[in-house]
PDB file of all heavy atoms in Angstrom:
ATOM      1  N   ASP C 397     -49.237  77.968-131.554  1.00 90.00           N
ATOM      2  CA  ASP C 397     -49.437  77.858-132.982  1.00 90.00           C
ATOM      3  C   ASP C 397     -50.290  76.641-133.334  1.00 90.00           C
ATOM      4  O   ASP C 397     -51.157  76.657-134.193  1.00 90.00           O
ATOM      5  CB  ASP C 397     -48.047  77.653-133.724  1.00 90.00           C
ATOM      6  CG  ASP C 397     -47.393  79.004-133.920  1.00 90.00           C
ATOM      7  OD1 ASP C 397     -48.100  80.015-133.835  1.00 90.00           O
ATOM      8  OD2 ASP C 397     -46.155  79.005-134.032  1.00 90.00           O
ATOM      9  N   LEU C 401     -53.884  76.278-135.403  1.00 89.00           N
ATOM     10  CA  LEU C 401     -54.115  75.333-136.474  1.00 89.00           C
ATOM     11  C   LEU C 401     -55.235  74.345-136.161  1.00 89.00           C
ATOM     12  O   LEU C 401     -55.793  73.720-137.052  1.00 89.00           O
ATOM     13  CB  LEU C 401     -52.831  74.600-136.834  1.00 89.00           C
ATOM     14  CG  LEU C 401     -51.749  75.461-137.444  1.00 89.00           C
ATOM     15  CD1 LEU C 401     -50.428  74.720-137.509  1.00 89.00           C
ATOM     16  CD2 LEU C 401     -52.185  75.917-138.816  1.00 89.00           C
ATOM     17  N   GLY C 403     -57.864  75.306-135.036  1.00 87.00           N
ATOM     18  CA  GLY C 403     -59.111  76.089-135.308  1.00 87.00           C
ATOM     19  C   GLY C 403     -59.602  76.831-134.102  1.00 87.00           C
ATOM     20  O   GLY C 403     -60.725  77.319-134.064  1.00 87.00           O
ATOM     21  N   ILE C 412     -58.056  79.115-122.673  1.00 90.00           N
ATOM     22  CA  ILE C 412     -58.050  77.626-122.592  1.00 90.00           C
ATOM     23  C   ILE C 412     -56.655  77.088-122.691  1.00 90.00           C
ATOM     24  O   ILE C 412     -56.291  76.175-122.003  1.00 90.00           O
ATOM     25  CB  ILE C 412     -58.971  76.983-123.609  1.00 90.00           C
ATOM     26  CG1 ILE C 412     -60.412  77.502-123.457  1.00 90.00           C
ATOM     27  CG2 ILE C 412     -58.967  75.509-123.428  1.00 90.00           C
ATOM     28  CD1 ILE C 412     -61.442  76.971-124.397  1.00 90.00           C
ATOM     29  N   GLU C 413     -55.765  77.679-123.500  1.00 90.00           N
ATOM     30  CA  GLU C 413     -54.436  77.156-123.694  1.00 90.00           C
ATOM     31  C   GLU C 413     -53.432  77.838-122.750  1.00 90.00           C
ATOM     32  O   GLU C 413     -52.649  77.218-122.114  1.00 90.00           O
ATOM     33  CB  GLU C 413     -54.012  77.308-125.105  1.00 90.00           C
ATOM     34  CG  GLU C 413     -54.851  76.557-126.121  1.00 90.00           C
ATOM     35  CD  GLU C 413     -54.613  75.080-126.132  1.00 90.00           C
ATOM     36  OE1 GLU C 413     -53.442  74.690-125.938  1.00 90.00           O
ATOM     37  OE2 GLU C 413     -55.543  74.345-126.383  1.00 90.00           O
ATOM     38  N   ASN C 417     -51.431  77.592-117.971  1.00 88.00           N
ATOM     39  CA  ASN C 417     -49.940  77.611-117.847  1.00 88.00           C
ATOM     40  C   ASN C 417     -49.519  78.887-116.993  1.00 88.00           C
ATOM     41  O   ASN C 417     -48.431  78.887-116.473  1.00 88.00           O
ATOM     42  CB  ASN C 417     -49.280  77.659-119.120  1.00 88.00           C
ATOM     43  CG  ASN C 417     -49.347  76.267-119.840  1.00 88.00           C
ATOM     44  OD1 ASN C 417     -48.755  75.357-119.392  1.00 88.00           O
ATOM     45  ND2 ASN C 417     -50.176  76.229-120.844  1.00 88.00           N
ATOM     46  N   GLU C 569     -28.659  55.876-127.487  1.00 87.00           N
ATOM     47  CA  GLU C 569     -29.893  56.584-127.590  1.00 87.00           C
ATOM     48  C   GLU C 569     -29.950  57.634-126.501  1.00 87.00           C
ATOM     49  O   GLU C 569     -29.193  57.574-125.551  1.00 87.00           O
ATOM     50  CB  GLU C 569     -31.103  55.631-127.523  1.00 87.00           C
ATOM     51  CG  GLU C 569     -31.353  54.842-128.723  1.00 87.00           C
ATOM     52  CD  GLU C 569     -32.449  53.843-128.496  1.00 87.00           C
ATOM     53  OE1 GLU C 569     -32.107  52.764-127.969  1.00 87.00           O
ATOM     54  OE2 GLU C 569     -33.624  54.102-128.840  1.00 87.00           O
ATOM     55  N   SER C 570     -30.898  58.545-126.664  1.00 83.00           N
ATOM     56  CA  SER C 570     -31.092  59.550-125.655  1.00 83.00           C
ATOM     57  C   SER C 570     -31.434  58.909-124.286  1.00 83.00           C
ATOM     58  O   SER C 570     -32.222  57.983-124.268  1.00 83.00           O
ATOM     59  CB  SER C 570     -32.297  60.414-126.065  1.00 83.00           C
ATOM     60  OG  SER C 570     -32.569  61.358-125.081  1.00 83.00           O
ATOM     61  N   ARG C 668      -9.126  78.470-136.124  1.00 78.00           N
ATOM     62  CA  ARG C 668      -9.355  78.984-137.530  1.00 78.00           C
ATOM     63  C   ARG C 668     -10.458  80.021-137.530  1.00 78.00           C
ATOM     64  O   ARG C 668     -11.305  79.923-138.370  1.00 78.00           O
ATOM     65  CB  ARG C 668      -9.700  77.860-138.514  1.00 78.00           C
ATOM     66  CG  ARG C 668      -8.747  76.672-138.355  1.00 78.00           C
ATOM     67  CD  ARG C 668      -8.030  76.317-139.599  1.00 78.00           C
ATOM     68  NE  ARG C 668      -6.749  75.739-139.249  1.00 78.00           N
ATOM     69  CZ  ARG C 668      -6.591  74.486-138.700  1.00 78.00           C
ATOM     70  NH1 ARG C 668      -7.604  73.755-138.493  1.00 78.00           N
ATOM     71  NH2 ARG C 668      -5.413  73.996-138.378  1.00 78.00           N
ATOM     72  N   ASP C 714     -25.171  72.972-138.322  1.00 80.00           N
ATOM     73  CA  ASP C 714     -25.489  72.471-139.723  1.00 80.00           C
ATOM     74  C   ASP C 714     -24.395  71.494-140.220  1.00 80.00           C
ATOM     75  O   ASP C 714     -23.303  71.586-139.740  1.00 80.00           O
ATOM     76  CB  ASP C 714     -25.602  73.650-140.647  1.00 80.00           C
ATOM     77  CG  ASP C 714     -26.783  74.467-140.442  1.00 80.00           C
ATOM     78  OD1 ASP C 714     -27.848  73.877-140.380  1.00 80.00           O
ATOM     79  OD2 ASP C 714     -26.685  75.764-140.362  1.00 80.00           O
ATOM     80  N   THR C 716     -22.619  71.471-142.863  1.00 82.00           N
ATOM     81  CA  THR C 716     -21.381  72.010-143.381  1.00 82.00           C
ATOM     82  C   THR C 716     -20.521  72.482-142.217  1.00 82.00           C
ATOM     83  O   THR C 716     -19.290  72.341-142.243  1.00 82.00           O
ATOM     84  CB  THR C 716     -21.741  73.206-144.319  1.00 82.00           C
ATOM     85  OG1 THR C 716     -22.653  74.030-143.632  1.00 82.00           O
ATOM     86  CG2 THR C 716     -22.408  72.713-145.574  1.00 82.00           C
ATOM     87  N   GLN C 718     -20.685  71.448-139.129  1.00 85.00           N
ATOM     88  CA  GLN C 718     -20.289  70.215-138.395  1.00 85.00           C
ATOM     89  C   GLN C 718     -18.972  69.665-138.992  1.00 85.00           C
ATOM     90  O   GLN C 718     -18.097  69.294-138.266  1.00 85.00           O
ATOM     91  CB  GLN C 718     -21.380  69.223-138.433  1.00 85.00           C
ATOM     92  CG  GLN C 718     -20.990  67.816-138.060  1.00 85.00           C
ATOM     93  CD  GLN C 718     -22.156  66.899-137.861  1.00 85.00           C
ATOM     94  OE1 GLN C 718     -22.953  67.029-136.931  1.00 85.00           O
ATOM     95  NE2 GLN C 718     -22.312  65.999-138.698  1.00 85.00           N
ATOM     96  N   SER C 719     -18.942  69.562-140.306  1.00 86.00           N
ATOM     97  CA  SER C 719     -17.741  68.943-140.876  1.00 86.00           C
ATOM     98  C   SER C 719     -16.548  69.822-140.653  1.00 86.00           C
ATOM     99  O   SER C 719     -15.406  69.289-140.443  1.00 86.00           O
ATOM    100  CB  SER C 719     -17.980  68.680-142.395  1.00 86.00           C
ATOM    101  OG  SER C 719     -18.108  69.885-143.088  1.00 86.00           O
ATOM    102  N   SER C 747     -17.725  57.691-137.368  1.00 91.00           N
ATOM    103  CA  SER C 747     -16.905  57.299-138.509  1.00 91.00           C
ATOM    104  C   SER C 747     -15.928  58.315-138.872  1.00 91.00           C
ATOM    105  O   SER C 747     -14.760  58.048-139.232  1.00 91.00           O
ATOM    106  CB  SER C 747     -17.740  56.920-139.716  1.00 91.00           C
ATOM    107  OG  SER C 747     -18.395  55.751-139.580  1.00 91.00           O
ATOM    108  N   GLY C 790     -27.608  58.495-150.654  1.00 83.00           N
ATOM    109  CA  GLY C 790     -27.372  57.652-151.837  1.00 83.00           C
ATOM    110  C   GLY C 790     -28.058  56.324-151.707  1.00 83.00           C
ATOM    111  O   GLY C 790     -28.031  55.446-152.632  1.00 83.00           O
ATOM    112  N   ILE C 799     -36.050  50.177-134.312  1.00 79.00           N
ATOM    113  CA  ILE C 799     -36.028  49.328-133.116  1.00 79.00           C
ATOM    114  C   ILE C 799     -37.359  49.635-132.361  1.00 79.00           C
ATOM    115  O   ILE C 799     -37.613  50.761-131.962  1.00 79.00           O
ATOM    116  CB  ILE C 799     -34.819  49.691-132.202  1.00 79.00           C
ATOM    117  CG1 ILE C 799     -33.583  49.718-133.046  1.00 79.00           C
ATOM    118  CG2 ILE C 799     -34.689  48.656-131.111  1.00 79.00           C
ATOM    119  CD1 ILE C 799     -32.358  50.071-132.179  1.00 79.00           C
ATOM    120  N   ARG C 802     -38.919  50.972-126.362  1.00 74.00           N
ATOM    121  CA  ARG C 802     -37.904  52.024-125.966  1.00 74.00           C
ATOM    122  C   ARG C 802     -37.108  51.495-124.807  1.00 74.00           C
ATOM    123  O   ARG C 802     -37.446  50.517-124.120  1.00 74.00           O
ATOM    124  CB  ARG C 802     -38.566  53.327-125.642  1.00 74.00           C
ATOM    125  CG  ARG C 802     -39.665  53.286-124.668  1.00 74.00           C
ATOM    126  CD  ARG C 802     -39.940  54.743-124.228  1.00 74.00           C
ATOM    127  NE  ARG C 802     -41.298  54.946-123.724  1.00 74.00           N
ATOM    128  CZ  ARG C 802     -41.583  55.985-123.059  1.00 74.00           C
ATOM    129  NH1 ARG C 802     -40.658  56.898-122.723  1.00 74.00           N
ATOM    130  NH2 ARG C 802     -42.821  56.200-122.598  1.00 74.00           N
TER     131      ARG C 802
ATOM    132  N   GLU F 268     -29.518  75.075-144.673  1.00 84.00           N
ATOM    133  CA  GLU F 268     -28.918  75.295-143.378  1.00 84.00           C
ATOM    134  C   GLU F 268     -29.819  76.082-142.467  1.00 84.00           C
ATOM    135  O   GLU F 268     -30.784  76.675-142.947  1.00 84.00           O
ATOM    136  CB  GLU F 268     -27.648  75.991-143.513  1.00 84.00           C
ATOM    137  CG  GLU F 268     -26.499  75.141-144.144  1.00 84.00           C
ATOM    138  CD  GLU F 268     -25.303  75.940-144.525  1.00 84.00           C
ATOM    139  OE1 GLU F 268     -25.438  77.043-145.083  1.00 84.00           O
ATOM    140  OE2 GLU F 268     -24.220  75.463-144.231  1.00 84.00           O
ATOM    141  N   SER F 269     -29.503  76.125-141.244  1.00 79.00           N
ATOM    142  CA  SER F 269     -30.414  76.901-140.295  1.00 79.00           C
ATOM    143  C   SER F 269     -30.358  78.334-140.705  1.00 79.00           C
ATOM    144  O   SER F 269     -29.325  78.871-141.130  1.00 79.00           O
ATOM    145  CB  SER F 269     -29.856  76.699-138.830  1.00 79.00           C
ATOM    146  OG  SER F 269     -28.653  77.355-138.690  1.00 79.00           O
ATOM    147  N   ARG F 278     -44.347  78.309-142.342  1.00 92.00           N
ATOM    148  CA  ARG F 278     -45.363  79.061-141.723  1.00 92.00           C
ATOM    149  C   ARG F 278     -46.249  79.849-142.697  1.00 92.00           C
ATOM    150  O   ARG F 278     -47.436  80.038-142.364  1.00 92.00           O
ATOM    151  CB  ARG F 278     -44.758  80.016-140.684  1.00 92.00           C
ATOM    152  CG  ARG F 278     -44.130  79.277-139.485  1.00 92.00           C
ATOM    153  CD  ARG F 278     -43.364  80.275-138.601  1.00 92.00           C
ATOM    154  NE  ARG F 278     -44.246  81.233-138.019  1.00 92.00           N
ATOM    155  CZ  ARG F 278     -44.922  81.023-136.900  1.00 92.00           C
ATOM    156  NH1 ARG F 278     -44.824  79.899-136.245  1.00 92.00           N
ATOM    157  NH2 ARG F 278     -45.698  81.936-136.435  1.00 92.00           N
ATOM    158  N   ARG F 307     -60.316  78.581-140.303  1.00 90.00           N
ATOM    159  CA  ARG F 307     -60.785  77.178-140.041  1.00 90.00           C
ATOM    160  C   ARG F 307     -60.856  76.438-141.276  1.00 90.00           C
ATOM    161  O   ARG F 307     -60.422  75.229-141.353  1.00 90.00           O
ATOM    162  CB  ARG F 307     -62.069  77.172-139.301  1.00 90.00           C
ATOM    163  CG  ARG F 307     -61.885  77.598-137.888  1.00 90.00           C
ATOM    164  CD  ARG F 307     -63.073  77.365-136.989  1.00 90.00           C
ATOM    165  NE  ARG F 307     -62.692  77.822-135.692  1.00 90.00           N
ATOM    166  CZ  ARG F 307     -63.550  77.905-134.631  1.00 90.00           C
ATOM    167  NH1 ARG F 307     -64.771  77.630-134.781  1.00 90.00           N
ATOM    168  NH2 ARG F 307     -63.123  78.365-133.476  1.00 90.00           N
ATOM    169  N   GLN F 314     -52.260  71.231-142.780  1.00 95.00           N
ATOM    170  CA  GLN F 314     -51.875  71.119-141.378  1.00 95.00           C
ATOM    171  C   GLN F 314     -50.337  71.110-141.267  1.00 95.00           C
ATOM    172  O   GLN F 314     -49.676  71.070-142.253  1.00 95.00           O
ATOM    173  CB  GLN F 314     -52.510  69.868-140.817  1.00 95.00           C
ATOM    174  CG  GLN F 314     -53.963  70.089-140.212  1.00 95.00           C
ATOM    175  CD  GLN F 314     -53.949  71.009-139.043  1.00 95.00           C
ATOM    176  OE1 GLN F 314     -52.988  71.206-138.377  1.00 95.00           O
ATOM    177  NE2 GLN F 314     -55.105  71.625-138.813  1.00 95.00           N
ATOM    178  N   ASN F 325     -49.550  71.323-125.349  1.00 90.00           N
ATOM    179  CA  ASN F 325     -49.713  72.063-124.136  1.00 90.00           C
ATOM    180  C   ASN F 325     -49.527  71.232-122.883  1.00 90.00           C
ATOM    181  O   ASN F 325     -50.193  70.222-122.680  1.00 90.00           O
ATOM    182  CB  ASN F 325     -51.171  72.686-124.136  1.00 90.00           C
ATOM    183  CG  ASN F 325     -51.361  73.695-123.080  1.00 90.00           C
ATOM    184  OD1 ASN F 325     -50.652  73.702-122.077  1.00 90.00           O
ATOM    185  ND2 ASN F 325     -52.269  74.565-123.263  1.00 90.00           N
ATOM    186  N   LYS F 328     -52.513  69.967-120.635  1.00 89.00           N
ATOM    187  CA  LYS F 328     -53.667  69.321-121.191  1.00 89.00           C
ATOM    188  C   LYS F 328     -53.379  67.836-121.438  1.00 89.00           C
ATOM    189  O   LYS F 328     -52.267  67.437-121.787  1.00 89.00           O
ATOM    190  CB  LYS F 328     -54.006  69.889-122.590  1.00 89.00           C
ATOM    191  CG  LYS F 328     -54.217  71.408-122.532  1.00 89.00           C
ATOM    192  CD  LYS F 328     -55.582  71.740-122.229  1.00 89.00           C
ATOM    193  CE  LYS F 328     -55.690  73.261-122.053  1.00 89.00           C
ATOM    194  NZ  LYS F 328     -56.878  73.669-121.436  1.00 89.00           N
ATOM    195  N   GLN F 378     -43.091  59.145-129.221  1.00 84.00           N
ATOM    196  CA  GLN F 378     -44.549  59.100-128.955  1.00 84.00           C
ATOM    197  C   GLN F 378     -45.161  60.430-129.081  1.00 84.00           C
ATOM    198  O   GLN F 378     -46.288  60.603-129.721  1.00 84.00           O
ATOM    199  CB  GLN F 378     -44.769  58.529-127.527  1.00 84.00           C
ATOM    200  CG  GLN F 378     -44.415  57.100-127.425  1.00 84.00           C
ATOM    201  CD  GLN F 378     -44.467  56.592-126.018  1.00 84.00           C
ATOM    202  OE1 GLN F 378     -44.057  57.369-125.112  1.00 84.00           O
ATOM    203  NE2 GLN F 378     -44.893  55.367-125.766  1.00 84.00           N
ATOM    204  N   ASP F 405     -34.222  60.212-131.728  1.00 82.00           N
ATOM    205  CA  ASP F 405     -33.133  59.220-131.919  1.00 82.00           C
ATOM    206  C   ASP F 405     -33.234  58.596-133.268  1.00 82.00           C
ATOM    207  O   ASP F 405     -34.356  58.341-133.666  1.00 82.00           O
ATOM    208  CB  ASP F 405     -33.194  58.249-130.794  1.00 82.00           C
ATOM    209  CG  ASP F 405     -32.474  58.671-129.548  1.00 82.00           C
ATOM    210  OD1 ASP F 405     -31.317  59.211-129.806  1.00 82.00           O
ATOM    211  OD2 ASP F 405     -32.941  58.456-128.464  1.00 82.00           O
ATOM    212  N   SER F 407     -33.106  55.582-133.859  1.00 80.00           N
ATOM    213  CA  SER F 407     -33.908  54.367-133.713  1.00 80.00           C
ATOM    214  C   SER F 407     -35.425  54.671-133.853  1.00 80.00           C
ATOM    215  O   SER F 407     -36.208  53.930-134.406  1.00 80.00           O
ATOM    216  CB  SER F 407     -33.654  53.658-132.393  1.00 80.00           C
ATOM    217  OG  SER F 407     -33.855  54.606-131.343  1.00 80.00           O
ATOM    218  N   GLN F 411     -38.919  54.743-137.143  1.00 83.00           N
ATOM    219  CA  GLN F 411     -40.340  54.434-136.850  1.00 83.00           C
ATOM    220  C   GLN F 411     -41.285  55.533-137.404  1.00 83.00           C
ATOM    221  O   GLN F 411     -42.272  55.229-138.056  1.00 83.00           O
ATOM    222  CB  GLN F 411     -40.611  54.352-135.354  1.00 83.00           C
ATOM    223  CG  GLN F 411     -40.095  53.147-134.616  1.00 83.00           C
ATOM    224  CD  GLN F 411     -40.201  53.362-133.128  1.00 83.00           C
ATOM    225  OE1 GLN F 411     -40.906  54.111-132.576  1.00 83.00           O
ATOM    226  NE2 GLN F 411     -39.416  52.553-132.397  1.00 83.00           N
ATOM    227  N   GLU F 438     -33.779  62.567-148.857  1.00 93.00           N
ATOM    228  CA  GLU F 438     -33.610  61.732-150.057  1.00 93.00           C
ATOM    229  C   GLU F 438     -34.553  60.521-149.937  1.00 93.00           C
ATOM    230  O   GLU F 438     -35.186  60.088-150.878  1.00 93.00           O
ATOM    231  CB  GLU F 438     -32.179  61.197-150.153  1.00 93.00           C
ATOM    232  CG  GLU F 438     -32.009  60.438-151.449  1.00 93.00           C
ATOM    233  CD  GLU F 438     -30.637  59.752-151.556  1.00 93.00           C
ATOM    234  OE1 GLU F 438     -29.984  59.617-150.561  1.00 93.00           O
ATOM    235  OE2 GLU F 438     -30.203  59.478-152.683  1.00 93.00           O
ATOM    236  N   PRO F 478     -22.129  63.527-142.829  1.00 84.00           N
ATOM    237  CA  PRO F 478     -21.466  62.310-142.353  1.00 84.00           C
ATOM    238  C   PRO F 478     -22.272  61.093-142.593  1.00 84.00           C
ATOM    239  O   PRO F 478     -23.495  61.159-142.623  1.00 84.00           O
ATOM    240  CB  PRO F 478     -21.283  62.633-140.882  1.00 84.00           C
ATOM    241  CG  PRO F 478     -22.392  63.551-140.552  1.00 84.00           C
ATOM    242  CD  PRO F 478     -22.741  64.350-141.739  1.00 84.00           C
ATOM    243  N   GLY F 481     -19.161  54.787-141.898  1.00 77.00           N
ATOM    244  CA  GLY F 481     -18.154  54.214-142.701  1.00 77.00           C
ATOM    245  C   GLY F 481     -17.458  55.278-143.570  1.00 77.00           C
ATOM    246  O   GLY F 481     -16.696  54.917-144.440  1.00 77.00           O
ATOM    247  N   LEU F 486     -15.631  66.495-146.134  1.00 67.00           N
ATOM    248  CA  LEU F 486     -15.179  67.762-146.785  1.00 67.00           C
ATOM    249  C   LEU F 486     -15.325  68.825-145.802  1.00 67.00           C
ATOM    250  O   LEU F 486     -16.319  68.999-145.092  1.00 67.00           O
ATOM    251  CB  LEU F 486     -16.138  67.999-147.974  1.00 67.00           C
ATOM    252  CG  LEU F 486     -15.917  69.368-148.524  1.00 67.00           C
ATOM    253  CD1 LEU F 486     -15.052  69.316-149.789  1.00 67.00           C
ATOM    254  CD2 LEU F 486     -17.200  70.073-148.727  1.00 67.00           C
ATOM    255  N   ALA F 487     -14.260  69.644-145.587  1.00 65.00           N
ATOM    256  CA  ALA F 487     -14.443  70.769-144.708  1.00 65.00           C
ATOM    257  C   ALA F 487     -14.018  71.998-145.450  1.00 65.00           C
ATOM    258  O   ALA F 487     -12.971  72.112-146.060  1.00 65.00           O
ATOM    259  CB  ALA F 487     -13.517  70.588-143.541  1.00 65.00           C
ATOM    260  N   ALA F 490     -12.609  78.068-142.830  1.00 53.00           N
ATOM    261  CA  ALA F 490     -13.433  78.621-141.687  1.00 53.00           C
ATOM    262  C   ALA F 490     -14.018  79.953-142.045  1.00 53.00           C
ATOM    263  O   ALA F 490     -15.010  80.374-141.493  1.00 53.00           O
ATOM    264  CB  ALA F 490     -12.519  78.789-140.499  1.00 53.00           C
TER     265      ALA F 490
END
Side-chain angles (χ1 to χ4, degrees):
Chain C
D397 280 340
L401 292 170
I412 302 180
E413 299 284 328
N417 288 289
E569 282 172 278
S570 179
R668 318 237 148 74
D714 287 313
T716 50
Q718 166 169 289
S719 65
S747 287
I799 313 179
R802 53 166 156 162
Chain F
E268 287 169 318
S269 69
R278 292 172 62 85
R307 287 190 181 171
Q314 276 293 339
N325 191 334
K328 305 272 171 194
Q378 288 170 325
D405 270 318
S407 55
Q411 287 172 17
E438 187 188 20
L486 166 104

